Amino acid sequence: MALAACAFAACSAPKQEKTVTVAEQLQVRLDSLQKKGYMCGHEDATMYGVTWEWDADKCDIFATVGDYPAVMGFDLGGIEMGDAKNLDSVPFTRIHDEVVKHYLNGGIVTISWHPRNPLTGGNAWDVKDTTVVKNILPGGSQHEKFKQWMVRVGDFLKTLKTDDGTPVPVIFRPWHENNGSWFWWGQKLCTDEEFLGLWTMLQDYLKGEGLDNLLWSYSPNLDGNWTEERFLKRYPGNDRVTLIGEDAYQWGTEEDFVKQVTADLDFLTAFAKKNGKLIALTECGLKNMPDSTWWTRVLQPVMDRYPICYFLMWRNYKEEYFGPSPELPCAADFKKLYEAPNTLFLKDIQ
Ligand code: BMA
């Protein structure tokens, strides 16, 4: 009798349906798109290009191949100061509008953050002082100030909604390239514990604010020599990260680049498989394309071998560009990359 009563109670109890967040929906979408190929992404794709800036509806990738990148990247550097424009002079109102527009067009958005140095007042690349992270953690001299910075980041992220109030899912990628030592949160600028404390502090704050539209991405820089032991030292944890990526630029020789990115993608692919994560080239490129066939000759053969969701080329801005533009010699090569059946642009994912 007691058993039967229990069974009846279990059956008639109201079902506790777990709400699927937009971030979880994006995760499922990325997983299924990855089976078709890898998406092309570009930072600030519709903000400016090699020969123009701020025009509405202009985009170097569209001008080159007749389609928009599937992934668009934007950066929040400067939001922490209450600035109206980011570190690259992009108005935050424009970032808001382009994020929502790209999402409504079926595209995918990723956001990074190059915050200023909260201790010295310098920029993200100010690495003179090695106590910045320590000082913004709870108990540190700059903790209250940094809390205000997190409020400003959260307030902006909360505005990323469509007119009907649906939050836009965003691949959020803070504290990037943390294995290098050129940002104040880098390898030599804080201890492993401090770095993990920094990640946790921001993530817990934003989650606590109800921002469940963020798909968290951990993206160190090209390394070439990862071991699981070393990677895990600053990896925030499986419960804190959904997408693992890396920023992979060719700054030196082609041979070194291919060797390193191949070793890293071997490592990331195995790690991601074991831990149920997605992977991507969260930033990549060859600055100003001195080699006009780099995409199909160097990058494409590497990308073809790994289950990456996307590659994001960094911005095209006048004398510093990483993507194509119709007047550049690399345009023809980019068209070849576009025509490959496994490269996905906006029309391919709608
Ligand atoms: C760097 C360079 C800078 C830029 C920064 C943030 O890689 O492109 O010019 O300010 O990214 O976008």
Side-chain angles (χ1 to χ4, degrees):
M1 181 63 208
L3 253 182
C6 274
F8 179 74
C11 288
S12 60
K15 265 200 187 145
Q16 288 292 313
E17 294 279 347
K18 192 182 165 291
T19 343
V20 179
T21 65
V22 290
E24 286 163 342
Q25 285 166 3
L26 175 59
Q27 179 181 359
V28 171
R29 185 174 181 216
L30 288 173
D31 195 46
S32 94
L33 285 171
Q34 190 277 315
K35 294 184 174 73
K36 288 173 65 181
Y38 48 85
M39 293 182 282
C40 170
H42 199 197
E43 181 76 4
D44 279 348
T46 48
M47 302 295 189
Y48 44 70
V50 175
T51 60
W52 58 278
E53 51 185 327
W54 316 128
D55 307 34
D57 297 321
K58 211 163 169 177
C59 170
D60 278 351
I61 291 194
F62 186 87
T64 308
V65 298
D67 199 354
Y68 289 94
V71 177
M72 286 191 194
F74 304 98
D75 195 273
L76 297 187
I79 197 84
E80 70 283 355
M81 312 301 290
D83 292 348
K85 293 178 178 179
N86 84 352
L87 75 169
D88 298 321
S89 305
V90 188
F92 286 109
T93 49
R94 180 86 191 261
I95 295 182
H96 167 276
D97 294 352
E98 297 290 330
V99 164
V100 175
K101 184 172 164 189
H102 190 54
Y103 169 67
L104 290 173
N105 284 337
I108 290 168
V109 170
T110 179
I111 290 186
S112 55
W113 184 28
H114 287 82
R116 294 187 67 83
N117 184 317
L119 186 67
T120 64
N123 62 24
W125 292 266
D126 181 351
V127 290
K128 283 192 296 288
D129 193 297
T130 57
T131 65
V132 184
V133 176
K134 184 183 156 103
N135 274 297
I136 62 177
L137 289 174
S141 67
Q142 307 300 313
H143 182 60
E144 289 307 313
K145 177 182 186 176
F146 195 76
K147 267 166 60 183
Q148 182 60 33
W149 286 19
M150 294 195 295
V151 169
R152 291 185 177 131
V153 169
D155 286 352
F156 178 77
L157 291 171
K158 283 178 203 165
T159 69
L160 301 178
K161 289 184 175 162
T162 60
D163 284 348
D164 68 3
T166 309
V168 175
V170 168
I171 301 171
F172 188 55
R173 197 172 70 85
W175 315 131
H176 63 301
E177 302 179 6
N178 67 323
N179 54 331
S181 295
W182 45 86
F183 293 129
W184 56 256
W185 56 90
Q187 184 71 35
K188 294 188 184 142
L189 287 302
C190 56
T191 64
D192 298 340
E193 291 68 32
E194 285 164 358
F195 178 79
L196 293 171
L198 179 68
W199 182 284
T200 304
M201 178 171 67
L202 179 64
Q203 185 168 41
D204 288 354
Y205 170 72
L206 295 176
K207 280 196 168 170
E209 288 298 294
L211 283 157
D212 57 9
N213 57 323
L214 306 180
L215 185 152
W216 290 76
S217 164
Y218 176 67
S219 90
N221 197 61
L222 184 71
D223 183 280
N225 211 13
W226 284 119
T227 59
E228 182 158 307
E229 193 196 352
R230 194 160 57 80
F231 187 82
L232 283 174
K233 284 193 174 11
R234 296 194 181 198
Y235 176 62
N238 280 342
D239 52 342
R240 293 186 170 274
V241 171
T242 303
L243 185 145
I244 307 167
E246 78 163 16
D247 292 1
Y249 291 92
Q250 183 185 314
W251 297 118
T253 68
E254 177 183 315
E255 200 190 356
D256 284 349
F257 172 73
V258 171
K259 210 167 118 193
Q260 291 182 313
V261 75
T262 301
D264 287 0
L265 287 172
D266 277 340
F267 171 80
L268 291 177
T269 301
F271 185 89
K273 195 168 172 207
K274 188 165 131 188
N275 294 283
K277 303 296 160 194
L278 300 164
I279 63 167
L281 283 178
T282 41
E283 286 183 32
C284 65
L286 172 64
K287 186 173 168 175
N288 297 354
M289 299 303 289
D291 172 352
S292 65
T293 60
W294 187 77
W295 283 304
T296 60
R297 208 173 47 71
V298 181
L299 190 63
Q300 185 180 19
V302 174
M303 295 195 294
D304 280 350
R305 292 173 45 205
Y306 298 97
I308 58 169
C309 299
Y310 70 90
F311 68 104
L312 180 111
M313 297 173 289
W314 203 242
R315 64 204 202 108
N316 274 12
Y317 187 70
K318 295 182 184 170
E319 66 286 346
E320 180 202 51
Y321 54 87
F322 297 88
S325 184
E327 64 287 342
L328 297 174
C330 60
D333 190 56
F334 193 79
K335 279 185 207 152
K336 278 168 72 184
L337 182 68
Y338 167 73
E339 278 153 17
N342 62 337
T343 54
L344 309 175
F345 288 69
L346 186 58
K347 284 180 199 153
D348 301 312
I349 70 162
Q350 280 168 330

